[in-house]
Structure formats: structure tokens, C-alpha cells
Amino acid sequence: AGEEEGDVEWVVDTIAGFLRGPAWSIPILEFMEQKCEVFDDEEESKLSYTEIYQEYQALVERLLEDHLKEVGINEEKFQEAFSSPLAKTHTSQAILQTVLAAEDFRLFKKMMVQKNIEMQLQAIRIIEERNGVLPDCLTEGSDVFSEIEQEEMKILKEVLRKSKEEYEIEQERKRTED
């Protein structure tokens, strides 16, 4: 039993190392950044979410399969290690979340909505830095935006809305071609 436990620990450590490394994190992050803009916090999910979710599942599966093959871990050992208590203690929830999201659409959607919000906030900060104006809420703790900042927010929202519409039109066009 001790040898088996050591085996599970080795598998968990190997996988945890992979999930923290660039071979996993870069493709996952790039995918999320490229696809998150269509996700919003509305209750109802759109058809485009399903397609993106399936792409994500395929990406996760391919990355994991390639790594497991490379290090000589079979599917059974991976499942055993991944469901062991060690997996939860050796890897952070944030790292595990990217794997679990491939099995749980609600978790995937939540992760993508969160990434969309982060990207929007990043865009707002860049706009503000380029214009030399930081809103009071970021400097003095108040929530008052200047007229310029409110205008920029309107422009940003409009750009995001148009980008989302264009993406959905493009997806619809692809669907009708298929």
C-alpha cells in the first residue's frame, strides 16, 4: 500500500507541476483571453457558449493526453491520482479549476465571465493611463467618474457590444456554411 501511495503522490506531483507550467497555462490563458468576450453574467447561456465549451474540452483533453503520454501515466492512474485527497492538497483550487471546468459547464462559464471582467478592467485601466487620467475611485477611494471617464466607459461598452455582435454573426455564418 505504501508503494501505491507513493505512486499516487508522484502522479499528483507530476500533474501539479505540469498544471503550474507554461505548457498548460499559456494555451489555457490564450484560449480564455480570445474567447471570453462573448460571455456575460446573464442567466441564460447562448449557443455560442456551447461551441466554445466544446473547443475548451478538446484543448484540455489534448494537453492532458499529450503530457500523460510524455511522462508515461495512463488514464487510470491519472483518474486515481486526480480524485485522491492528495490532488486537493498539492494543487491550488485555481489550478484545478481549469481542469474541472472541462467537466462542468457552469464552472467553465463562471471562469470565462470572470476572465471577461478582468479583460474589461484591464482595457479601462489602459484607456485611463493613456489619457493621463485615473478615476478618483482608483486614487482616492471615491466612486465618482469624471465626464470624460463616463464617455470612455460608454465607448468601451459600445466597442465590446459591437465586437460581441460581430463574433456572433461570424459564428452564425460558420454554422450556416457547415
Side-chain angles (χ1 to χ4, degrees):
E3 189 181 311
E4 201 172 287
E5 209 171 272
D7 204 26
V8 167
E9 188 170 357
W10 175 81
V11 171
V12 168
D13 287 344
T14 302
I15 294 166
F18 171 66
L19 295 178
R20 283 191 201 97
W24 172 263
S25 57
I26 290 172
I28 294 293
L29 189 61
E30 283 177 351
F31 179 90
M32 289 171 62
E33 286 177 353
Q34 289 169 4
K35 307 285 185 173
C36 72
E37 67 190 29
V38 298
F39 286 81
D40 53 41
D41 216 2
E42 290 174 21
E43 194 68 35
E44 196 170 319
S45 291
K46 297 172 180 70
L47 183 61
S48 59
Y49 294 2
T50 306
E51 291 172 8
I52 294 170
Y53 180 56
Q54 288 166 345
E55 286 176 47
Y56 183 78
Q57 287 176 308
L59 173 66
V60 166
E61 195 172 313
R62 183 176 49 79
L63 290 172
L64 279 174
E65 278 177 4
D66 289 353
H67 179 70
L68 294 178
K69 243 182 251 164
E70 195 178 297
V71 294
I73 298 171
N74 65 29
E75 179 93 18
E76 194 179 308
K77 276 189 175 158
F78 169 74
Q79 290 296 343
E80 181 187 339
F82 195 73
S83 57
S84 77
L86 275 174
K88 287 162 186 65
T89 57
H90 285 235
T91 51
S92 74
Q93 278 311 114
I95 291 170
L96 281 178
Q97 186 179 29
T98 57
V99 179
L100 296 172
E103 302 295 318
D104 181 349
F105 177 77
R106 283 189 311 255
L107 180 60
F108 171 75
K109 182 181 173 187
K110 184 176 145 197
M111 194 172 75
M112 294 299 275
V113 167
Q114 179 66 38
K115 178 51 78 180
N116 190 2
I117 291 167
E118 287 171 17
M119 299 280 288
Q120 288 180 36
L121 289 172
Q122 194 176 10
I124 291 167
R125 280 194 206 102
I126 290 168
I127 289 169
E128 292 162 349
E129 285 172 15
R130 285 194 179 144
N131 293 327
V133 181
L134 281 174
D136 292 338
C137 66
L138 291 180
T139 55
E140 298 166 18
S142 78
D143 281 339
V144 181
F145 280 104
S146 71
E147 284 180 43
I148 295 168
E149 291 158 342
Q150 287 174 342
E151 199 54 41
E152 288 171 353
M153 287 295 289
K154 284 181 194 165
I155 292 167
L156 182 63
K157 284 179 181 170
E158 185 62 22
V159 167
L160 286 169
R161 188 185 62 71
K162 279 199 162 98
S163 173
K164 189 174 168 180
E165 281 176 10
E166 288 167 8
Y167 176 82
E168 288 172 353
I169 289 167
E170 179 65 20
Q171 292 301 308
E172 191 57 45
R173 187 186 61 73
K174 284 181 184 173
R175 268 194 295 284
T176 54
E177 282 179 7
D178 293 344

